[in-house]
Amino acid sequence: MKTEKDNIWNFNEAIDGTDAGPGVLRKILSYTDELMVVENHFEKGAVGALHQHPHTQITYVVSGQFEFEINGEKQIVNPGDSMLKKNSIPHGCVCLEKGILLDIFTPMRKDFV
């Protein structure tokens, strides 16, 4: 695991992505015990399966178009939109147009590192 000193500068081009499911690449950008930023690259048609976790999460749509389901409600979101998912709320998405989501978690997702 990175130390806090190792985590100060995080250049995207040097960060290896990991497979987060068919058509989804996850890049852990920066984190501390209290906060984490994750970039998710989705191919058209890729699914972020419906799930829940004990972390509060904000998702920002960098590019593309997605259909999100949060706590049983579905909405289409586009670049510049964001969603708040409080801890333990079921959520997931389907990528309608290839794109990137930026996720911010508190506390950090230990299961990702």
Side-chain angles (χ1 to χ4, degrees), residues 44-105:
K44 182 177 181 174
V47 174
L50 197 62
H51 66 286
Q52 61 189 47
H53 44 74
H55 311 83
T56 295
Q57 175 181 349
I58 294 174
T59 299
Y60 177 80
V61 182
V62 176
S63 63
Q65 184 179 62
F66 298 81
E67 180 184 68
F68 261 87
E69 180 176 340
I70 302 172
N71 207 24
E73 181 181 352
K74 291 184 178 181
Q75 293 284 336
I76 305 293
V77 296
N78 295 287
D81 295 339
S82 63
M83 289 87 32
L84 171 63
K85 294 162 266 180
K86 293 194 175 187
N87 54 325
S88 301
I89 296 293
H91 58 279
C93 69
V94 176
C95 181
L96 304 177
E97 293 178 17
K98 180 179 178 175
I100 298 173
L101 298 175
L102 191 68
D103 287 329
I104 298 116
F105 297 97

Short mmCIF file of all heavy atoms in Angstrom, two decimals, residues 44-105:
data_model
loop_
_atom_site.label_atom_id
_atom_site.label_comp_id
_atom_site.label_asym_id
_atom_site.label_seq_id
_atom_site.Cartn_x
_atom_site.Cartn_y
_atom_site.Cartn_z
N LYS A 44 -19.23 1.60 -24.14
CA LYS A 44 -20.68 1.62 -24.36
C LYS A 44 -21.26 0.24 -24.03
O LYS A 44 -20.72 -0.79 -24.45
CB LYS A 44 -20.99 1.99 -25.81
CG LYS A 44 -22.46 2.09 -26.10
CD LYS A 44 -22.72 2.53 -27.52
CE LYS A 44 -24.22 2.64 -27.76
NZ LYS A 44 -24.52 3.21 -29.07
N GLY A 45 -22.33 0.22 -23.27
CA GLY A 45 -22.99 -1.02 -22.89
C GLY A 45 -22.47 -1.66 -21.61
O GLY A 45 -23.09 -2.57 -21.08
N ALA A 46 -21.33 -1.18 -21.10
CA ALA A 46 -20.78 -1.73 -19.87
C ALA A 46 -21.71 -1.41 -18.69
O ALA A 46 -22.38 -0.38 -18.68
CB ALA A 46 -19.38 -1.20 -19.60
N VAL A 47 -21.70 -2.31 -17.72
CA VAL A 47 -22.61 -2.19 -16.58
C VAL A 47 -21.81 -2.06 -15.28
O VAL A 47 -20.88 -2.83 -15.05
CB VAL A 47 -23.52 -3.44 -16.50
CG1 VAL A 47 -24.37 -3.41 -15.24
CG2 VAL A 47 -24.39 -3.54 -17.74
N GLY A 48 -22.18 -1.09 -14.48
CA GLY A 48 -21.74 -1.01 -13.10
C GLY A 48 -22.85 -1.67 -12.29
O GLY A 48 -23.91 -1.06 -12.07
N ALA A 49 -22.68 -2.94 -11.94
CA ALA A 49 -23.74 -3.73 -11.32
C ALA A 49 -24.32 -3.05 -10.08
O ALA A 49 -23.59 -2.38 -9.34
CB ALA A 49 -23.22 -5.12 -10.96
N LEU A 50 -25.61 -3.23 -9.87
CA LEU A 50 -26.28 -2.70 -8.70
C LEU A 50 -25.61 -3.26 -7.44
O LEU A 50 -25.41 -4.48 -7.33
CB LEU A 50 -27.76 -3.10 -8.74
CG LEU A 50 -28.71 -2.33 -7.84
CD1 LEU A 50 -28.74 -0.85 -8.21
CD2 LEU A 50 -30.11 -2.92 -7.93
N HIS A 51 -25.20 -2.38 -6.54
CA HIS A 51 -24.48 -2.78 -5.34
C HIS A 51 -24.66 -1.71 -4.27
O HIS A 51 -25.24 -0.65 -4.53
CB HIS A 51 -22.98 -2.97 -5.64
CG HIS A 51 -22.29 -1.72 -6.01
ND1 HIS A 51 -22.44 -1.09 -7.24
CD2 HIS A 51 -21.44 -0.93 -5.31
CE1 HIS A 51 -21.71 0.01 -7.28
NE2 HIS A 51 -21.10 0.13 -6.11
N GLN A 52 -24.14 -1.97 -3.09
CA GLN A 52 -24.12 -0.98 -2.02
C GLN A 52 -22.89 -1.24 -1.16
O GLN A 52 -22.32 -2.33 -1.19
CB GLN A 52 -25.40 -1.03 -1.18
CG GLN A 52 -25.64 -2.35 -0.50
CD GLN A 52 -27.03 -2.39 0.11
OE1 GLN A 52 -28.00 -2.03 -0.52
NE2 GLN A 52 -27.10 -2.83 1.36
N HIS A 53 -22.46 -0.21 -0.45
CA HIS A 53 -21.28 -0.32 0.40
C HIS A 53 -21.38 0.72 1.51
O HIS A 53 -22.18 1.65 1.41
CB HIS A 53 -19.99 -0.12 -0.42
CG HIS A 53 -20.06 1.00 -1.39
ND1 HIS A 53 -20.01 2.32 -1.01
CD2 HIS A 53 -20.21 1.00 -2.74
CE1 HIS A 53 -20.10 3.10 -2.09
NE2 HIS A 53 -20.23 2.33 -3.14
N PRO A 54 -20.59 0.56 2.56
CA PRO A 54 -20.70 1.47 3.71
C PRO A 54 -19.96 2.79 3.56
O PRO A 54 -19.59 3.41 4.54
CB PRO A 54 -20.10 0.64 4.85
CG PRO A 54 -19.07 -0.20 4.19
CD PRO A 54 -19.66 -0.54 2.84
N HIS A 55 -19.74 3.23 2.33
CA HIS A 55 -19.03 4.49 2.05
C HIS A 55 -20.00 5.48 1.42
O HIS A 55 -20.84 5.09 0.61
CB HIS A 55 -17.89 4.26 1.05
CG HIS A 55 -17.02 3.10 1.40
ND1 HIS A 55 -17.36 1.80 1.07
CD2 HIS A 55 -15.84 3.03 2.05
CE1 HIS A 55 -16.42 0.98 1.50
NE2 HIS A 55 -15.49 1.70 2.11
N THR A 56 -19.87 6.75 1.75
CA THR A 56 -20.58 7.78 1.01
C THR A 56 -19.79 8.03 -0.26
O THR A 56 -18.56 8.06 -0.25
CB THR A 56 -20.72 9.07 1.85
OG1 THR A 56 -21.56 8.78 2.98
CG2 THR A 56 -21.35 10.19 1.05
N GLN A 57 -20.51 8.19 -1.38
CA GLN A 57 -19.87 8.32 -2.69
C GLN A 57 -20.53 9.44 -3.48
O GLN A 57 -21.75 9.55 -3.52
CB GLN A 57 -20.03 6.99 -3.45
CG GLN A 57 -19.53 7.00 -4.87
CD GLN A 57 -19.76 5.65 -5.55
OE1 GLN A 57 -20.09 4.66 -4.90
NE2 GLN A 57 -19.58 5.60 -6.84
N ILE A 58 -19.70 10.27 -4.10
CA ILE A 58 -20.16 11.25 -5.08
C ILE A 58 -19.56 10.84 -6.41
O ILE A 58 -18.36 10.54 -6.50
CB ILE A 58 -19.74 12.68 -4.71
CG1 ILE A 58 -20.44 13.12 -3.43
CG2 ILE A 58 -20.03 13.64 -5.87
CD1 ILE A 58 -19.99 14.47 -2.90
N THR A 59 -20.39 10.79 -7.44
CA THR A 59 -19.93 10.47 -8.80
C THR A 59 -20.13 11.68 -9.69
O THR A 59 -21.22 12.27 -9.70
CB THR A 59 -20.71 9.26 -9.37
OG1 THR A 59 -20.47 8.12 -8.54
CG2 THR A 59 -20.28 8.94 -10.79
N TYR A 60 -19.09 12.03 -10.42
CA TYR A 60 -19.11 13.15 -11.38
C TYR A 60 -18.93 12.56 -12.77
O TYR A 60 -18.01 11.77 -13.00
CB TYR A 60 -17.99 14.14 -11.05
CG TYR A 60 -17.89 15.27 -12.04
CD1 TYR A 60 -18.74 16.36 -11.95
CD2 TYR A 60 -16.94 15.25 -13.06
CE1 TYR A 60 -18.66 17.41 -12.86
CE2 TYR A 60 -16.86 16.29 -13.97
CZ TYR A 60 -17.72 17.36 -13.87
OH TYR A 60 -17.63 18.39 -14.77
N VAL A 61 -19.80 12.95 -13.70
CA VAL A 61 -19.70 12.46 -15.08
C VAL A 61 -18.73 13.35 -15.84
O VAL A 61 -19.01 14.52 -16.10
CB VAL A 61 -21.08 12.45 -15.78
CG1 VAL A 61 -20.96 11.89 -17.19
CG2 VAL A 61 -22.11 11.67 -14.96
N VAL A 62 -17.57 12.79 -16.18
CA VAL A 62 -16.55 13.52 -16.93
C VAL A 62 -16.92 13.54 -18.41
O VAL A 62 -16.84 14.57 -19.08
CB VAL A 62 -15.15 12.88 -16.73
CG1 VAL A 62 -14.10 13.56 -17.58
CG2 VAL A 62 -14.77 12.90 -15.26
N SER A 63 -17.31 12.37 -18.94
CA SER A 63 -17.69 12.26 -20.35
C SER A 63 -18.64 11.09 -20.52
O SER A 63 -18.79 10.25 -19.64
CB SER A 63 -16.44 12.07 -21.23
OG SER A 63 -15.78 10.86 -20.91
N GLY A 64 -19.31 11.04 -21.67
CA GLY A 64 -20.23 9.95 -21.97
C GLY A 64 -21.63 10.23 -21.46
O GLY A 64 -21.97 11.34 -21.05
N GLN A 65 -22.45 9.18 -21.51
CA GLN A 65 -23.82 9.25 -21.01
C GLN A 65 -24.13 7.93 -20.30
O GLN A 65 -23.75 6.86 -20.80
CB GLN A 65 -24.82 9.49 -22.13
CG GLN A 65 -26.24 9.67 -21.65
CD GLN A 65 -27.20 9.93 -22.80
OE1 GLN A 65 -27.36 9.08 -23.67
NE2 GLN A 65 -27.81 11.12 -22.80
N PHE A 66 -24.82 8.02 -19.16
CA PHE A 66 -25.08 6.86 -18.33
C PHE A 66 -26.52 6.88 -17.84
O PHE A 66 -27.08 7.95 -17.61
CB PHE A 66 -24.16 6.86 -17.10
CG PHE A 66 -22.70 6.77 -17.44
CD1 PHE A 66 -21.97 7.90 -17.82
CD2 PHE A 66 -22.03 5.54 -17.38
CE1 PHE A 66 -20.63 7.81 -18.14
CE2 PHE A 66 -20.69 5.45 -17.70
CZ PHE A 66 -19.99 6.58 -18.08
N GLU A 67 -27.08 5.69 -17.67
CA GLU A 67 -28.34 5.56 -16.95
C GLU A 67 -27.98 5.04 -15.57
O GLU A 67 -27.42 3.95 -15.44
CB GLU A 67 -29.30 4.59 -17.63
CG GLU A 67 -30.61 4.46 -16.85
CD GLU A 67 -31.55 3.45 -17.43
OE1 GLU A 67 -31.21 2.24 -17.37
OE2 GLU A 67 -32.61 3.85 -17.93
N PHE A 68 -28.27 5.84 -14.55
CA PHE A 68 -27.98 5.46 -13.17
C PHE A 68 -29.26 5.06 -12.46
O PHE A 68 -30.32 5.64 -12.71
CB PHE A 68 -27.36 6.64 -12.39
CG PHE A 68 -25.87 6.55 -12.29
CD1 PHE A 68 -25.07 7.05 -13.29
CD2 PHE A 68 -25.27 5.94 -11.19
CE1 PHE A 68 -23.69 6.97 -13.21
CE2 PHE A 68 -23.90 5.85 -11.10
CZ PHE A 68 -23.10 6.36 -12.11
N GLU A 69 -29.13 4.09 -11.59
CA GLU A 69 -30.18 3.74 -10.66
C GLU A 69 -29.63 3.97 -9.26
O GLU A 69 -28.58 3.43 -8.91
CB GLU A 69 -30.62 2.29 -10.81
CG GLU A 69 -31.72 1.90 -9.84
CD GLU A 69 -32.24 0.49 -10.03
OE1 GLU A 69 -32.04 -0.09 -11.10
OE2 GLU A 69 -32.85 -0.02 -9.07
N ILE A 70 -30.33 4.79 -8.48
CA ILE A 70 -29.94 5.07 -7.10
C ILE A 70 -31.18 4.91 -6.23
O ILE A 70 -32.17 5.62 -6.43
CB ILE A 70 -29.35 6.49 -6.94
CG1 ILE A 70 -28.14 6.68 -7.86
CG2 ILE A 70 -28.98 6.75 -5.49
CD1 ILE A 70 -27.60 8.10 -7.91
N ASN A 71 -31.10 3.95 -5.32
CA ASN A 71 -32.19 3.68 -4.39
C ASN A 71 -33.52 3.49 -5.10
O ASN A 71 -34.55 4.00 -4.67
CB ASN A 71 -32.27 4.79 -3.34
CG ASN A 71 -32.87 4.30 -2.04
OD1 ASN A 71 -32.83 3.11 -1.73
ND2 ASN A 71 -33.43 5.22 -1.26
N GLY A 72 -33.49 2.77 -6.24
CA GLY A 72 -34.70 2.44 -6.98
C GLY A 72 -35.14 3.46 -8.02
O GLY A 72 -36.05 3.20 -8.80
N GLU A 73 -34.50 4.63 -8.07
CA GLU A 73 -34.85 5.67 -9.04
C GLU A 73 -33.83 5.69 -10.17
O GLU A 73 -32.62 5.67 -9.92
CB GLU A 73 -34.89 7.04 -8.36
CG GLU A 73 -35.27 8.16 -9.31
CD GLU A 73 -35.28 9.53 -8.65
OE1 GLU A 73 -35.15 9.62 -7.42
OE2 GLU A 73 -35.41 10.52 -9.40
N LYS A 74 -34.31 5.76 -11.43
CA LYS A 74 -33.41 5.81 -12.59
C LYS A 74 -33.44 7.18 -13.24
O LYS A 74 -34.50 7.81 -13.35
CB LYS A 74 -33.82 4.75 -13.62
CG LYS A 74 -33.57 3.33 -13.16
CD LYS A 74 -33.89 2.33 -14.26
CE LYS A 74 -33.59 0.92 -13.79
NZ LYS A 74 -33.88 -0.07 -14.85
N GLN A 75 -32.24 7.64 -13.66
CA GLN A 75 -32.08 8.91 -14.36
C GLN A 75 -30.97 8.77 -15.39
O GLN A 75 -30.00 8.04 -15.16
CB GLN A 75 -31.70 10.04 -13.39
CG GLN A 75 -32.75 10.42 -12.40
CD GLN A 75 -33.87 11.26 -13.00
OE1 GLN A 75 -33.68 11.93 -14.01
NE2 GLN A 75 -35.02 11.22 -12.37
N ILE A 76 -31.07 9.50 -16.49
CA ILE A 76 -30.00 9.62 -17.49
C ILE A 76 -29.13 10.80 -17.07
O ILE A 76 -29.65 11.88 -16.78
CB ILE A 76 -30.55 9.86 -18.91
CG1 ILE A 76 -31.55 8.76 -19.30
CG2 ILE A 76 -29.41 10.00 -19.92
CD1 ILE A 76 -30.97 7.39 -19.47
N VAL A 77 -27.80 10.58 -17.03
CA VAL A 77 -26.87 11.65 -16.66
C VAL A 77 -25.84 11.87 -17.75
O VAL A 77 -25.52 10.95 -18.51
CB VAL A 77 -26.18 11.36 -15.30
CG1 VAL A 77 -27.21 11.33 -14.17
CG2 VAL A 77 -25.42 10.05 -15.34
N ASN A 78 -25.35 13.09 -17.82
CA ASN A 78 -24.44 13.54 -18.88
C ASN A 78 -23.25 14.29 -18.29
O ASN A 78 -23.23 14.58 -17.09
CB ASN A 78 -25.22 14.48 -19.82
CG ASN A 78 -26.32 13.75 -20.55
OD1 ASN A 78 -26.06 12.96 -21.45
ND2 ASN A 78 -27.56 13.99 -20.15
N PRO A 79 -22.25 14.64 -19.11
CA PRO A 79 -21.08 15.36 -18.60
C PRO A 79 -21.47 16.59 -17.77
O PRO A 79 -22.35 17.35 -18.15
CB PRO A 79 -20.32 15.76 -19.87
CG PRO A 79 -20.68 14.67 -20.83
CD PRO A 79 -22.13 14.37 -20.55
N GLY A 80 -20.82 16.71 -16.62
CA GLY A 80 -21.08 17.81 -15.71
C GLY A 80 -22.08 17.47 -14.62
O GLY A 80 -22.17 18.19 -13.62
N ASP A 81 -22.84 16.39 -14.79
CA ASP A 81 -23.80 15.97 -13.77
C ASP A 81 -23.08 15.22 -12.65
O ASP A 81 -22.01 14.65 -12.87
CB ASP A 81 -24.87 15.06 -14.37
CG ASP A 81 -25.76 15.77 -15.40
OD1 ASP A 81 -25.83 17.02 -15.38
OD2 ASP A 81 -26.37 15.06 -16.22
N SER A 82 -23.68 15.22 -11.48
CA SER A 82 -23.11 14.47 -10.36
C SER A 82 -24.23 13.85 -9.54
O SER A 82 -25.38 14.30 -9.57
CB SER A 82 -22.22 15.35 -9.48
OG SER A 82 -22.97 16.39 -8.89
N MET A 83 -23.88 12.79 -8.82
CA MET A 83 -24.84 12.06 -8.01
C MET A 83 -24.25 11.81 -6.62
O MET A 83 -23.07 11.50 -6.51
CB MET A 83 -25.15 10.68 -8.62
CG MET A 83 -25.97 10.69 -9.88
SD MET A 83 -25.13 10.86 -11.48
CE MET A 83 -23.58 10.13 -11.38
N LEU A 84 -25.08 11.92 -5.60
CA LEU A 84 -24.69 11.62 -4.23
C LEU A 84 -25.30 10.29 -3.85
O LEU A 84 -26.50 10.09 -4.00
CB LEU A 84 -25.19 12.71 -3.27
CG LEU A 84 -25.03 12.42 -1.77
CD1 LEU A 84 -23.57 12.28 -1.39
CD2 LEU A 84 -25.72 13.50 -0.96
N LYS A 85 -24.45 9.38 -3.38
CA LYS A 85 -24.91 8.06 -2.93
C LYS A 85 -24.43 7.88 -1.49
O LYS A 85 -23.26 7.61 -1.26
CB LYS A 85 -24.36 6.98 -3.85
CG LYS A 85 -24.94 7.10 -5.26
CD LYS A 85 -24.13 6.36 -6.27
CE LYS A 85 -23.15 7.33 -6.88
NZ LYS A 85 -22.28 6.79 -7.87
N LYS A 86 -25.35 8.09 -0.56
CA LYS A 86 -24.99 7.94 0.86
C LYS A 86 -24.71 6.49 1.16
O LYS A 86 -25.12 5.60 0.41
CB LYS A 86 -26.09 8.51 1.74
CG LYS A 86 -26.20 10.02 1.60
CD LYS A 86 -27.03 10.62 2.68
CE LYS A 86 -27.00 12.13 2.55
NZ LYS A 86 -27.64 12.79 3.66
N ASN A 87 -24.02 6.24 2.26
CA ASN A 87 -23.61 4.89 2.60
C ASN A 87 -24.80 3.93 2.63
O ASN A 87 -25.88 4.27 3.09
CB ASN A 87 -22.84 4.86 3.92
CG ASN A 87 -23.58 5.51 5.07
OD1 ASN A 87 -24.29 6.50 4.89
ND2 ASN A 87 -23.43 4.96 6.24
N SER A 88 -24.56 2.75 2.07
CA SER A 88 -25.50 1.62 2.04
C SER A 88 -26.72 1.83 1.15
O SER A 88 -27.68 1.05 1.24
CB SER A 88 -25.91 1.23 3.46
OG SER A 88 -24.75 0.88 4.21
N ILE A 89 -26.72 2.83 0.28
CA ILE A 89 -27.81 3.03 -0.68
C ILE A 89 -27.49 2.22 -1.94
O ILE A 89 -26.41 2.37 -2.52
CB ILE A 89 -27.96 4.53 -1.06
CG1 ILE A 89 -28.35 5.36 0.17
CG2 ILE A 89 -28.94 4.72 -2.20
CD1 ILE A 89 -29.72 5.07 0.72
N PRO A 90 -28.42 1.35 -2.41
CA PRO A 90 -28.16 0.57 -3.63
C PRO A 90 -28.04 1.50 -4.85
O PRO A 90 -28.83 2.45 -5.00
CB PRO A 90 -29.41 -0.32 -3.76
CG PRO A 90 -30.09 -0.27 -2.43
CD PRO A 90 -29.70 1.02 -1.79
N HIS A 91 -27.02 1.22 -5.67
CA HIS A 91 -26.82 2.02 -6.88
C HIS A 91 -26.06 1.22 -7.94
O HIS A 91 -25.38 0.26 -7.62
CB HIS A 91 -26.06 3.32 -6.56
CG HIS A 91 -24.72 3.09 -5.93
ND1 HIS A 91 -24.57 2.82 -4.58
CD2 HIS A 91 -23.47 3.08 -6.44
CE1 HIS A 91 -23.29 2.67 -4.31
NE2 HIS A 91 -22.59 2.81 -5.42
N GLY A 92 -26.21 1.63 -9.19
CA GLY A 92 -25.53 1.00 -10.30
C GLY A 92 -25.80 1.81 -11.55
O GLY A 92 -26.57 2.78 -11.53
N CYS A 93 -25.15 1.42 -12.67
CA CYS A 93 -25.34 2.18 -13.90
C CYS A 93 -25.13 1.31 -15.13
O CYS A 93 -24.56 0.23 -15.06
CB CYS A 93 -24.39 3.38 -13.94
SG CYS A 93 -22.65 2.95 -14.13
N VAL A 94 -25.61 1.84 -16.26
CA VAL A 94 -25.35 1.28 -17.58
C VAL A 94 -24.79 2.41 -18.42
O VAL A 94 -25.33 3.52 -18.43
CB VAL A 94 -26.64 0.74 -18.23
CG1 VAL A 94 -26.38 0.25 -19.64
CG2 VAL A 94 -27.26 -0.37 -17.38
N CYS A 95 -23.70 2.14 -19.13
CA CYS A 95 -23.09 3.16 -19.97
C CYS A 95 -23.80 3.21 -21.32
O CYS A 95 -23.82 2.22 -22.06
CB CYS A 95 -21.60 2.83 -20.17
SG CYS A 95 -20.74 4.06 -21.17
N LEU A 96 -24.40 4.35 -21.64
CA LEU A 96 -25.12 4.53 -22.90
C LEU A 96 -24.22 5.05 -24.01
O LEU A 96 -24.44 4.76 -25.18
CB LEU A 96 -26.30 5.49 -22.69
CG LEU A 96 -27.29 5.08 -21.59
CD1 LEU A 96 -28.36 6.14 -21.41
CD2 LEU A 96 -27.91 3.71 -21.88
N GLU A 97 -23.23 5.86 -23.65
CA GLU A 97 -22.20 6.36 -24.58
C GLU A 97 -20.87 6.27 -23.84
O GLU A 97 -20.76 6.73 -22.70
CB GLU A 97 -22.45 7.82 -24.96
CG GLU A 97 -23.68 8.05 -25.80
CD GLU A 97 -23.89 9.54 -26.10
OE1 GLU A 97 -22.94 10.33 -25.95
OE2 GLU A 97 -25.01 9.89 -26.48
N LYS A 98 -19.86 5.71 -24.50
CA LYS A 98 -18.53 5.55 -23.90
C LYS A 98 -18.16 6.79 -23.09
O LYS A 98 -18.36 7.92 -23.56
CB LYS A 98 -17.50 5.33 -25.00
CG LYS A 98 -16.09 5.14 -24.51
CD LYS A 98 -15.13 4.91 -25.66
CE LYS A 98 -13.71 4.76 -25.16
NZ LYS A 98 -12.79 4.42 -26.26
N GLY A 99 -17.64 6.57 -21.86
CA GLY A 99 -17.33 7.72 -21.04
C GLY A 99 -16.53 7.40 -19.79
O GLY A 99 -16.11 6.26 -19.56
N ILE A 100 -16.35 8.44 -19.00
CA ILE A 100 -15.55 8.37 -17.78
C ILE A 100 -16.36 8.94 -16.61
O ILE A 100 -16.96 10.01 -16.72
CB ILE A 100 -14.23 9.17 -17.92
CG1 ILE A 100 -13.37 8.58 -19.04
CG2 ILE A 100 -13.46 9.19 -16.61
CD1 ILE A 100 -12.14 9.40 -19.38
N LEU A 101 -16.34 8.19 -15.50
CA LEU A 101 -16.93 8.65 -14.25
C LEU A 101 -15.82 8.86 -13.24
O LEU A 101 -14.89 8.07 -13.16
CB LEU A 101 -17.90 7.60 -13.70
CG LEU A 101 -19.10 7.26 -14.56
CD1 LEU A 101 -19.90 6.12 -13.93
CD2 LEU A 101 -19.99 8.48 -14.77
N LEU A 102 -15.93 9.92 -12.45
CA LEU A 102 -15.00 10.18 -11.37
C LEU A 102 -15.75 9.97 -10.06
O LEU A 102 -16.76 10.62 -9.80
CB LEU A 102 -14.49 11.62 -11.45
CG LEU A 102 -13.32 11.96 -10.54
CD1 LEU A 102 -12.07 11.21 -11.01
CD2 LEU A 102 -13.06 13.45 -10.54
N ASP A 103 -15.28 9.00 -9.26
CA ASP A 103 -15.91 8.68 -7.98
C ASP A 103 -15.06 9.19 -6.83
O ASP A 103 -13.84 9.02 -6.83
CB ASP A 103 -16.07 7.16 -7.82
CG ASP A 103 -17.15 6.58 -8.69
OD1 ASP A 103 -18.14 7.29 -8.97
OD2 ASP A 103 -17.03 5.40 -9.08
N ILE A 104 -15.73 9.79 -5.86
CA ILE A 104 -15.08 10.25 -4.64
C ILE A 104 -15.75 9.51 -3.48
O ILE A 104 -16.98 9.50 -3.38
CB ILE A 104 -15.22 11.78 -4.46
CG1 ILE A 104 -14.53 12.49 -5.63
CG2 ILE A 104 -14.62 12.24 -3.14
CD1 ILE A 104 -15.45 13.28 -6.47
N PHE A 105 -14.95 8.85 -2.65
CA PHE A 105 -15.45 8.05 -1.54
C PHE A 105 -14.94 8.58 -0.21
O PHE A 105 -13.80 9.02 -0.11
CB PHE A 105 -14.94 6.60 -1.64
CG PHE A 105 -15.40 5.85 -2.85
CD1 PHE A 105 -14.58 5.76 -3.96
CD2 PHE A 105 -16.63 5.22 -2.87
CE1 PHE A 105 -14.98 5.05 -5.08
CE2 PHE A 105 -17.04 4.51 -3.98
CZ PHE A 105 -16.22 4.41 -5.10
#
